[in-house]
Amino acid sequence: MKWVNVLGGIVGAAALLGLGIILGHFAIPKGSDVPTPSIFQDLDLEILESIMQQLDASRIRENLRELSREPHLASSPQDEALVQLLLQRWRDPESGLDSAEASTYEVLLSFPSREQPNRVAVVSPTGNVLFSCRQSEQNLTGEQGGPDVVPPYAAYAPPGTPQGLLVYANQGTEEDFMKLQAQGIKLEGTIALTRYGGTGRGAKAVNTAKHGVAGVLVYTDPADINDGQSSTNETFPNSWRLPPSGVERGSYYEYFGDPLTPYLPANPSSFRLDPDTVSGFPPIPTQPIGFEDAKILLCQVNVSVYNRLELRNSSNVLGIIRGAVEPDRYVLYGNHRDSWVHGAVDPSSGTAVLLELSRVLGTLLKKGTWRPRRSIVFASWGAEEFGLIGSTEFTEEFFSKLQERAVAYINVDISVFANATLRAQGTPPVQSVIFAASKQIPAPSLGGLSIYDNWIRYFNRSSPVYGLVPSLGSLGAGSDYAPFIHFLGISSMDIAYTYDRSKTSARIYPTYHTAFDTFGYVDKFVDPGFSSHQAVARTAGSVLLRLSDSLFLPLNVSDYGETLRSFLQAAQQNLGVLLEQHSISLVPLVTAVEKFEGAAGALDQRISALQKATPDPLQVRMLNDQLMLLERTFLNPRAFPEERYYSHVLWAPRTGSVATFPGLANACSRAMNTSLGSPAWAEVQRQLSILVVALEGAAATLRPVADF
Amino acid sequence: MKWVNVLGGIVGAAALLGLGIILGHFAIPKGSDVPTPSIFQDLDLEILESIMQQLDASRIRENLRELSREPHLASSPQDEALVQLLLQRWRDPESGLDSAEASTYEVLLSFPSREQPNRVAVVSPTGNVLFSCRQSEQNLTGEQGGPDVVPPYAAYAPPGTPQGLLVYANQGTEEDFMKLQAQGIKLEGTIALTRYGGTGRGAKAVNTAKHGVAGVLVYTDPADINDGQSSTNETFPNSWRLPPSGVERGSYYEYFGDPLTPYLPANPSSFRLDPDTVSGFPPIPTQPIGFEDAKILLCQVNVSVYNRLELRNSSNVLGIIRGAVEPDRYVLYGNHRDSWVHGAVDPSSGTAVLLELSRVLGTLLKKGTWRPRRSIVFASWGAEEFGLIGSTEFTEEFFSKLQERAVAYINVDISVFANATLRAQGTPPVQSVIFAASKQIPAPSLGGLSIYDNWIRYFNRSSPVYGLVPSLGSLGAGSDYAPFIHFLGISSMDIAYTYDRSKTSARIYPTYHTAFDTFGYVDKFVDPGFSSHQAVARTAGSVLLRLSDSLFLPLNVSDYGETLRSFLQAAQQNLGVLLEQHSISLVPLVTAVEKFEGAAGALDQRISALQKATPDPLQVRMLNDQLMLLERTFLNPRAFPEERYYSHVLWAPRTGSVATFPGLANACSRAMNTSLGSPAWAEVQRQLSILVVALEGAAATLRPVADF
């Protein structure tokens, strides 16, 4: 036995060697500036507190002013200038990171034509133009004019000049069209006027086109965005409300990622689909308009859309802080950079926070005071507004690396919608770390009430495990977290400050995607003093630090048990009888959920025991791998072949109202009206098996690793 | 800074603590029987050598006698008795493993009917039976009779009683049928007589049915199996050759895994396809016959097949040795247990070796002399003969766990085909560990020549890196390694002793899948003295130990560079001009291969440097993770949607003769005769991009982990 021979007889030498290693790790002279990493390095609460104090509201304000000074539509020169700004900040010798690089993809974007502006006009039966909609928003603050303000348009809507009678189609949902048909209204060849809300942008065009409609207009209704107010003196710049001329721009593409390179990074050499064969684009010309114009449209309307597709270069910027102990574990923190116009709220409020956080951490790093246990990757994504393109291409390019090594993804897009409360979305394992962070930080202007205690007043639920807690939302596909959670199975979250819903029913902050979303708007109406920005910086920063620095990963995987249990109960209560009628048993699902709960509970106990004992660094690493990789076990790329990118069996899109496992819910709603033994019922069984296998597999990874 | 506060001032205490830890790890009293694990535990060459000496040929012989005493068709009572035998051995208090369990799946198998034996007869135009083929093999050794010897049949061939003129169709390949058609031979309604070889079993029926043939016979030609010999006195039991009555049984299912539960483990509750809709079964009645009968068939032939499908329970047996330091890293070693009849060679020669290896390791374990650094999982798979069913269901059930944690899979199915030389198949990273093992072990009866030096005499190639080396074969889907490499991306290998090809051209050992594959056959003709079995036990055992015990994983990932380079050169030389004509550039592929080579070379240097330095256990673990997970980076479950389970972009099935990347080769061969800009040419570009992204992703995971 080699080690006995070599080492057994020379215990003294081994101890000396060991002592040397230990000394190397621990015996740093008091007051030294450059600590040598210890493999037992853990979260340092003093450093955390000092970081919290250094996150500065006025600097966030200055960041925002600089970021939103000019419109910076994806791939525009101003967007490129911001790439340079980020690189400069992240390479700063005094407050920069270890390294920063831009990486560029060649992606398919859609723009209105400069030469032929899109136009919406009311025409007489003889073809005379009786009225034309505005082609740009009113220049109320001097920032809505100029060549860099992209005119309102529906990105990816095809060009065309349809003309027809106007039909009001409410929100353009399937239900809305069924109602119109029931009223005997002829839709063929008409122009549909729809309002934002109720369904996705692209879905409005898709639903509409099915009924033979020739063109779609989409407007923002004051009832949906302005709590009903619409006059000039009630709206921006006199309040935060949307002016009559404001128009919400947006992408009307149904999927996400570069439309020409699904599942492939949009590198110049990558295979590209023929744009004519791309699915997910709106099928008919579509144009957004303001409510000022919407209210006077009538009769025959002509819509002229001259959008065109262009291959453009769009960059992500990545900034890295190398982990001291586990550099191969990445905590990612990102936000997009591109905006429709100035984008002060969307997305610069998030980027302003990002830059302040990276400044504080970079400064500690450059001083040698601190280096995280794990690596931190800051990301500024390109072309999010066109469909989460930069982040999606990134996940496609670094698929393997991220699947192996990413601990979690933190997204802070719009950091402040409003000043009332924290709002967080995420998968269950991140709940505990957000709670822990938010309990330690005071809420702005509330006399010391913590962010957590304020949060619970606005959003809460009764947890069977914890009692009353703030409620975490679930992640859809509204921002760059989507490819991380749905395509890669990385535990993700989105953090922001948001509304008091008793004070406004606005669908979203009113100037969203308009030329009125400017620095002045934020400074005056959204967050004067920037204390909510600071609160978000602190919360997200604390979450980031806890994930990057804690010896034991603060991902509480057993919190998934609550979700599984509630999905299971919803299935039993709402689908149980139906399934029984088709001889489909939920017993295997019940068993799988129980196994998950059992394995997660036992794991919790092993963690507690290990935390009390002297931790062996490999044991901790093995345990952390179980925690990190749990989310990955819920992925099945063959589960939903028709849903591009969606592979997570718990968070794929769900149609229908039962809040349960999406594959099961969707298959049931499709099978509902088919006969016994139909292929649709077989699909229900298949989805149930996919789910059971995923849950059993997840539970298996939580059991003691030596049991196989 | 917490650690400075807490520890900086108490260096003495920290050192004491550290000393304690180190003492705990190293300071084992000399001669102690139960070593406490050290996180630096490494391969012990003395223990390895002692294991090599303990692997006993006569015990392997006794294992084989016991294993092959009775026919043990998958799911038969005798198969179940072997499950109990394995459990008993692996639970033995003196030579057992840490734990052993059987796990059972409910899978769809196919059997001939006892009541209505399959029949092949020559009939007169008036329907009189002029001649009937044998329904079983001749009882030459007393082991070919009795109810447990399953009559020859083609598993999964559908029942039916076609009758028609006999047409000789050679090997039943597409080419063979094209020749017959060119000769004006009418195939509609005929019975095709084909010989084994040239194409898979199932493919013969598929190809044949396309041409309207009503039934297929498959016989074993003496030229293919017996080096031309066919008389009774030249064949078994007078030599190792196949007797005239011998018939090769086999599965005619085109895919692998349980046919009713693709991608799902065949647990009782799993969703099952309707057997009528399963693809991959032979489309027409098919029956194998011996050459004795084949040579006298003529005119009108009637084939009666009464096979039926049955859901049966089939078990895997798993035996675990818990790793001392990294219990969450699994080195898997497996073989199937089921045979068509007695299966002395196939598979019991492998299982006999498996049991001897597990006995020796189990004994060391129970004595407390040794425990591997990583966990070892021994597996005895069920129902392999029907299509790798047990192993495939296992990979489906433990998909996540295995993808996260499996280091490698070692398959030893038929351990000895013949006595001449080692033969190994595997992916490039396992080449070095097989070389290292085989260099240290003497070849049987060759006066001290190593297995390696003997091997290189039979199979060799000129490596641009190493010069002349033994050549490793690549892994198809011939045994249970298939789901591990193709579905899970786990580095895999298959190890055996095999023929001197200058002495026989037999397609495979002659009694393969017949009732003549018995203990006496092995003992007398295949490996008298069992020294080749011992050689395989030592080689596979050494590989297993090296993988389970070495501090640094002995997977040489840079050896993938040679494969990539040779595939690339083949593509350039054979497809370059064609691709250029279609404006498809290989430059991105060249760049990707170069990046891989560069990253792998740099990694090699970092490994060397780390091996010379004092290794930090986390640094070693991070490095080992890079090595272990490289194979995973070549998986893309969306690359070949039509090829069930095959996701590895380098080893998916390749049609056509160019030894290059399979996706590219296959797409090119399909596009070849289509026009410029056809969808088939777009698929070539898509496959090229999939490949480039995989190689770039692989290279990215080999770079320093802190660079992101």
Side-chain angles (χ1 to χ4, degrees):
Chain A
M1 289 171 48
K2 190 186 171 193
W3 69 262
V4 166
N5 290 349
V6 174
L7 291 171
I10 46 168
V11 172
L16 275 176
L17 171 73
L19 189 60
I21 297 169
I22 292 291
L23 285 171
H25 286 150
F26 291 103
I28 311 302
K30 221 170 173 176
S32 161
D33 275 354
V34 189
T36 301
S38 149
I39 51 178
F40 302 108
Q41 183 183 325
D42 203 349
L43 179 69
D44 184 320
L45 293 174
E46 281 189 31
I47 288 192
L48 177 61
E49 184 50 35
S50 143
I51 290 168
M52 294 297 104
Q53 293 312 316
Q54 290 172 59
L55 290 167
D56 183 346
S58 67
R59 283 181 186 265
I60 297 175
R61 181 172 182 273
E62 285 314 305
N63 287 340
L64 185 60
R65 191 206 295 275
E66 194 159 350
L67 289 166
S68 61
R69 181 165 290 144
E70 292 187 88
H72 49 285
L73 188 62
S75 78
S76 67
Q78 295 82 4
D79 181 28
E80 185 50 34
L82 291 188
V83 169
Q84 296 308 317
L85 179 147
L86 279 146
L87 286 175
Q88 183 211 318
R89 295 280 185 99
W90 287 350
R91 290 172 175 168
D92 186 277
E94 280 168 19
S95 60
L97 313 177
D98 287 319
S99 65
E101 295 297 336
S103 79
T104 305
Y105 297 102
E106 192 177 77
V107 300
L108 190 74
L109 305 183
S110 159
F111 301 99
S113 160
R114 245 177 225 282
E115 298 74 37
Q116 290 184 285
N118 294 349
R119 199 193 66 167
V120 175
V122 178
V123 291
S124 73
T126 58
N128 295 327
V129 171
L130 305 176
F131 168 77
S132 275
C133 289
R134 312 185 56 97
Q135 291 175 348
S136 60
E137 288 140 321
Q138 200 179 348
N139 194 348
L140 296 174
T141 67
E143 295 160 294
Q144 292 74 41
D148 297 328
V149 175
V150 74
Y153 73 114
Y156 299 110
T161 55
Q163 181 169 315
L165 287 173
L166 190 76
V167 173
Y168 179 72
N170 194 29
Q171 295 181 313
T173 64
E174 264 303 331
E175 213 182 358
D176 290 328
F177 283 101
M178 269 148 60
K179 277 189 199 152
L180 287 172
Q181 284 190 309
Q183 290 166 38
I185 291 168
K186 202 180 147 290
L187 293 165
E188 188 74 26
T190 62
I191 304 295
L193 176 63
T194 62
R195 64 186 167 99
Y196 272 119
T199 185
R201 295 186 196 101
K204 292 182 199 288
V206 170
N207 295 339
T208 303
K210 272 187 210 155
H211 298 275
V213 171
V216 189
L217 301 176
V218 189
Y219 79 103
T220 305
D221 197 293
D224 296 325
I225 202 82
N226 279 354
D227 293 311
Q229 307 297 309
S230 61
S231 71
T232 313
N233 62 345
E234 290 163 334
T235 58
F236 184 76
N238 301 307
S239 82
W240 87 324
R241 296 194 197 97
L242 182 67
S245 71
V247 183
E248 179 182 322
R249 294 152 186 79
S251 173
Y252 282 63
Y253 178 46
E254 282 271 86
Y255 307 136
F256 52 85
D258 172 42
L260 297 187
T261 60
Y263 298 118
L264 295 169
N267 294 321
S269 75
S270 280
F271 165 66
R272 284 178 165 71
L273 295 171
D274 177 345
D276 295 341
T277 68
V278 167
S279 61
F281 286 163
I284 51 175
T286 305
Q287 178 67 17
I289 58 174
F291 60 79
E292 175 185 59
D293 287 335
K295 71 179 180 198
I296 56 174
L297 286 182
L298 43 102
C299 306
Q300 187 91 338
V301 172
N302 177 297
V303 182
S304 303
V305 173
Y306 300 104
N307 297 345
R308 52 194 180 195
L309 298 167
E310 291 182 41
L311 270 181
R312 290 282 193 96
N313 285 326
S314 171
S315 297
N316 294 332
V317 189
L318 297 180
I320 317 287
I321 301 179
R322 203 175 56 249
V325 185
E326 296 183 273
D328 69 338
R329 291 293 174 260
Y330 309 133
V331 183
L332 296 113
Y333 180 116
N335 179 28
H336 70 100
R337 185 185 58 254
D338 64 307
S339 61
W340 284 112
V341 194
H342 304 80
V345 177
D346 180 8
S348 305
S349 64
T351 310
V353 163
L354 169 67
L355 281 173
E356 175 59 1
L357 186 55
S358 64
R359 179 192 70 82
V360 170
L361 297 185
T363 305
L364 291 178
L365 191 72
K366 294 295 182 190
K367 278 189 192 157
T369 324
W370 165 86
R371 178 174 288 288
R373 180 178 177 85
R374 304 181 183 85
S375 294
I376 292 175
V377 180
F378 286 112
S380 168
W381 311 118
E384 186 264 5
E385 295 293 6
F386 288 78
L388 322 181
I389 291 181
S391 54
T392 302
E393 300 307 307
F394 174 80
T395 58
E396 290 168 340
E397 179 158 15
F398 297 104
F399 183 89
S400 292
K401 213 178 224 193
L402 292 167
Q403 276 227 330
E404 288 175 17
R405 304 177 192 162
V407 167
Y409 174 65
I410 304 165
N411 196 67
V412 180
D413 181 346
I414 294 169
S415 67
V416 179
F417 292 84
N419 289 312
T421 175
L422 190 74
R423 182 234 62 192
Q425 302 168 332
T427 61
V430 308
Q431 173 183 277
S432 57
V433 67
I434 300 177
F435 283 2
S438 61
K439 282 177 180 172
Q440 302 294 323
I441 305 164
S445 327
L446 289 167
L449 191 70
S450 73
I451 286 181
Y452 179 94
D453 287 331
N454 181 52
W455 183 14
I456 207 169
R457 293 161 53 201
Y458 289 90
F459 300 100
N460 59 58
R461 67 181 179 96
S462 179
S463 151
V465 179
Y466 305 106
L468 198 74
V469 290
S471 60
L472 214 65
S474 57
L475 295 166
S479 188
D480 293 300
Y481 49 75
F484 289 93
I485 182 61
H486 298 303
F487 181 43
L488 291 181
I490 292 166
S491 293
S492 297
M493 70 199 89
D494 186 84
I495 293 171
Y497 241 68
T498 196
Y499 322 96
D500 178 348
R501 278 294 174 202
S502 71
K503 298 213 173 119
T504 175
S505 66
R507 195 167 49 77
I508 190 167
Y509 73 93
T511 65
Y512 172 72
H513 287 199
T514 73
F516 304 108
D517 177 356
T518 55
F519 175 75
Y521 182 80
V522 175
D523 199 39
K524 197 162 169 195
F525 300 114
V526 178
D527 187 24
F530 282 73
S531 59
S532 294
H533 282 77
Q534 187 183 42
V536 171
R538 288 175 171 173
T539 308
S542 177
V543 168
L544 174 65
L545 258 281
R546 287 163 193 272
L547 285 165
S548 67
D549 277 26
S550 301
L551 177 60
F552 288 84
L553 273 183
L555 293 172
N556 193 344
V557 296
S558 62
D559 284 342
Y560 244 123
E562 274 195 54
T563 305
L564 299 184
R565 185 53 66 179
S566 88
F567 280 8
L568 175 64
Q569 281 167 353
Q572 288 171 317
Q573 281 159 24
N574 298 283
L575 304 171
V577 173
L578 183 69
L579 290 169
E580 213 164 287
Q581 286 164 356
H582 289 81
S583 309
I584 298 173
S585 166
L586 285 174
V587 170
L589 184 60
V590 173
T591 307
V593 171
E594 283 167 359
K595 282 189 190 174
F596 184 93
E597 290 168 335
L603 180 68
D604 279 350
Q605 292 180 359
R606 289 201 305 284
I607 296 173
S608 296
L610 204 59
Q611 283 174 331
K612 283 172 202 148
T614 315
D616 162 345
L618 282 181
Q619 283 179 302
V620 179
R621 168 92 174 190
M622 288 185 259
L623 176 72
N624 284 341
D625 279 359
Q626 288 181 282
L627 302 178
M628 173 178 84
L629 294 173
L630 173 72
E631 199 85 66
R632 245 70 106 220
T633 68
F634 295 123
L635 284 197
N636 183 339
R638 295 169 182 92
F640 317 110
E642 74 291 358
E643 297 278 6
R644 191 180 288 175
Y645 298 116
Y646 290 98
S647 306
H648 198 301
V649 301
L650 301 176
W651 306 117
R654 180 169 50 78
T655 53
S657 56
V658 182
T660 186
F661 307 100
L664 181 64
N666 298 348
C668 278
S669 87
R670 276 191 294 263
M672 203 86 78
N673 300 314
T674 69
S675 58
L676 209 79
S678 71
W681 278 109
E683 178 62 11
V684 172
Q685 291 187 290
R686 194 182 80 95
Q687 286 295 338
L688 194 59
S689 282
I690 284 172
L691 182 61
V692 167
V693 171
L695 299 188
E696 294 259 2
T701 68
L702 296 184
R703 296 208 185 92
V705 294
D707 294 354
F708 182 80
Chain B
M1 289 170 49
K2 188 189 176 194
W3 69 263
V4 166
N5 291 348
V6 174
L7 290 170
I10 46 167
V11 172
L16 275 177
L17 172 71
L19 188 61
I21 295 168
I22 291 291
L23 283 171
H25 286 150
F26 291 106
I28 310 303
K30 220 172 176 177
S32 161
D33 274 354
V34 189
T36 302
S38 149
I39 52 177
F40 301 109
Q41 182 183 326
D42 204 347
L43 180 68
D44 184 321
L45 292 174
E46 279 188 36
I47 287 192
L48 177 60
E49 184 51 34
S50 142
I51 289 168
M52 293 297 103
Q53 293 312 318
Q54 289 172 58
L55 291 166
D56 184 345
S58 66
R59 283 181 186 266
I60 297 176
R61 182 170 180 272
E62 286 313 306
N63 287 340
L64 184 60
R65 190 204 296 274
E66 194 159 350
L67 290 165
S68 61
R69 182 163 289 146
E70 293 187 86
H72 49 284
L73 188 62
S75 77
S76 66
Q78 295 83 1
D79 182 28
E80 185 49 36
L82 291 188
V83 168
Q84 296 309 319
L85 180 149
L86 280 147
L87 286 174
Q88 183 211 320
R89 295 280 187 100
W90 288 351
R91 289 173 176 170
D92 187 277
E94 277 167 23
S95 61
L97 313 177
D98 286 320
S99 64
E101 294 298 334
S103 80
T104 304
Y105 298 102
E106 191 176 76
V107 300
L108 190 73
L109 305 183
S110 158
F111 299 99
S113 159
R114 245 178 226 279
E115 298 73 37
Q116 290 182 285
N118 294 350
R119 198 192 67 166
V120 177
V122 178
V123 291
S124 72
T126 58
N128 294 328
V129 171
L130 305 176
F131 168 78
S132 274
C133 288
R134 311 185 57 97
Q135 291 177 346
S136 60
E137 288 142 319
Q138 199 180 347
N139 194 348
L140 295 176
T141 67
E143 294 163 293
Q144 290 76 41
D148 297 329
V149 175
V150 75
Y153 74 112
Y156 298 112
T161 55
Q163 181 168 314
L165 288 173
L166 190 76
V167 173
Y168 180 71
N170 194 31
Q171 296 182 312
T173 64
E174 264 301 332
E175 216 182 356
D176 291 327
F177 283 102
M178 270 149 60
K179 278 187 198 153
L180 287 172
Q181 284 190 309
Q183 292 168 37
I185 291 168
K186 201 181 150 286
L187 294 166
E188 188 73 27
T190 62
I191 304 297
L193 176 63
T194 63
R195 64 186 168 100
Y196 272 119
T199 185
R201 294 187 196 101
K204 290 181 200 288
V206 170
N207 295 338
T208 303
K210 272 187 209 154
H211 298 276
V213 170
V216 189
L217 301 176
V218 189
Y219 79 103
T220 304
D221 197 292
D224 295 326
I225 203 82
N226 279 354
D227 292 311
Q229 307 297 311
S230 60
S231 69
T232 314
N233 63 343
E234 289 163 336
T235 56
F236 185 75
N238 299 305
S239 83
W240 87 323
R241 297 194 194 99
L242 182 67
S245 70
V247 183
E248 180 181 323
R249 293 152 186 78
S251 171
Y252 281 64
Y253 178 47
E254 283 271 86
Y255 307 136
F256 53 86
D258 172 43
L260 297 188
T261 60
Y263 298 118
L264 296 170
N267 293 323
S269 76
S270 280
F271 167 64
R272 283 177 166 73
L273 296 170
D274 177 344
D276 294 341
T277 68
V278 167
S279 62
F281 286 162
I284 50 177
T286 304
Q287 177 68 16
I289 57 174
F291 58 80
E292 177 185 55
D293 288 335
K295 72 180 179 197
I296 55 171
L297 286 182
L298 44 102
C299 306
Q300 187 92 338
V301 170
N302 177 295
V303 181
S304 304
V305 173
Y306 300 103
N307 297 344
R308 50 192 182 196
L309 298 168
E310 292 182 38
L311 269 182
R312 290 283 192 98
N313 284 327
S314 171
S315 298
N316 295 331
V317 189
L318 298 180
I320 317 288
I321 302 179
R322 202 173 59 248
V325 185
E326 295 182 273
D328 69 339
R329 290 294 176 258
Y330 310 133
V331 182
L332 296 113
Y333 181 117
N335 180 30
H336 68 100
R337 186 185 57 254
D338 64 308
S339 61
W340 284 113
V341 193
H342 304 80
V345 177
D346 179 7
S348 306
S349 65
T351 310
V353 163
L354 169 66
L355 282 174
E356 175 59 3
L357 187 53
S358 63
R359 179 191 70 83
V360 171
L361 297 184
T363 305
L364 291 178
L365 192 72
K366 294 296 180 189
K367 277 190 195 154
T369 324
W370 165 85
R371 178 174 288 289
R373 181 179 177 85
R374 303 180 183 87
S375 295
I376 292 175
V377 180
F378 286 112
S380 168
W381 309 119
E384 186 264 7
E385 294 294 5
F386 288 79
L388 322 181
I389 291 181
S391 54
T392 302
E393 300 308 307
F394 174 80
T395 58
E396 290 168 342
E397 178 156 17
F398 296 104
F399 183 90
S400 292
K401 213 180 224 194
L402 292 167
Q403 276 228 328
E404 288 176 16
R405 303 177 193 163
V407 167
Y409 174 66
I410 304 166
N411 195 66
V412 180
D413 181 343
I414 295 171
S415 67
V416 180
F417 291 86
N419 289 311
T421 175
L422 191 75
R423 184 232 62 193
Q425 303 168 331
T427 62
V430 308
Q431 172 183 275
S432 57
V433 67
I434 300 178
F435 283 3
S438 62
K439 281 177 181 172
Q440 302 294 322
I441 304 165
S445 326
L446 288 166
L449 190 72
S450 73
I451 286 180
Y452 179 92
D453 287 331
N454 180 54
W455 182 15
I456 206 171
R457 292 161 55 199
Y458 289 91
F459 300 101
N460 59 60
R461 68 184 180 94
S462 181
S463 150
V465 179
Y466 304 105
L468 197 73
V469 290
S471 61
L472 215 66
S474 58
L475 296 166
S479 188
D480 293 300
Y481 49 75
F484 290 92
I485 183 61
H486 298 302
F487 180 46
L488 291 181
I490 292 166
S491 292
S492 298
M493 70 199 87
D494 186 83
I495 292 173
Y497 240 68
T498 194
Y499 322 97
D500 179 347
R501 276 296 174 200
S502 70
K503 300 215 173 117
T504 176
S505 65
R507 195 167 51 76
I508 190 165
Y509 74 94
T511 63
Y512 172 72
H513 285 199
T514 72
F516 304 108
D517 178 356
T518 55
F519 175 74
Y521 182 80
V522 176
D523 198 38
K524 195 160 170 198
F525 300 115
V526 177
D527 189 22
F530 282 75
S531 58
S532 295
H533 281 78
Q534 187 184 40
V536 171
R538 287 175 171 173
T539 309
S542 178
V543 168
L544 175 65
L545 258 281
R546 286 161 193 273
L547 286 164
S548 66
D549 277 26
S550 301
L551 176 60
F552 288 84
L553 271 184
L555 293 173
N556 193 344
V557 298
S558 63
D559 283 342
Y560 245 124
E562 275 195 52
T563 305
L564 299 182
R565 186 51 68 177
S566 88
F567 279 8
L568 175 63
Q569 282 168 353
Q572 289 171 318
Q573 283 161 23
N574 298 283
L575 304 170
V577 174
L578 183 70
L579 290 168
E580 215 165 283
Q581 287 164 356
H582 290 81
S583 308
I584 298 173
S585 167
L586 287 174
V587 171
L589 183 61
V590 173
T591 307
V593 170
E594 283 166 359
K595 282 190 191 170
F596 183 94
E597 290 168 335
L603 180 67
D604 280 349
Q605 291 179 1
R606 290 200 306 284
I607 296 173
S608 296
L610 205 57
Q611 283 174 331
K612 283 170 201 150
T614 315
D616 163 344
L618 282 180
Q619 282 179 302
V620 180
R621 168 95 173 186
M622 288 185 255
L623 177 72
N624 284 340
D625 280 358
Q626 288 181 281
L627 303 178
M628 174 179 83
L629 294 172
L630 174 71
E631 200 84 65
R632 244 68 105 220
T633 68
F634 296 121
L635 284 197
N636 183 336
R638 295 170 183 91
F640 317 111
E642 74 290 358
E643 299 277 6
R644 190 180 289 174
Y645 298 116
Y646 289 99
S647 307
H648 198 299
V649 300
L650 301 176
W651 305 118
R654 179 169 51 77
T655 52
S657 56
V658 182
T660 187
F661 307 100
L664 182 64
N666 297 347
C668 279
S669 85
R670 276 190 291 264
M672 203 86 77
N673 300 315
T674 68
S675 59
L676 210 80
S678 68
W681 279 108
E683 178 62 12
V684 172
Q685 292 188 289
R686 193 181 80 95
Q687 285 295 337
L688 194 60
S689 282
I690 284 171
L691 182 61
V692 167
V693 170
L695 298 187
E696 296 259 2
T701 66
L702 297 184
R703 297 209 186 89
V705 294
D707 293 356
F708 182 80

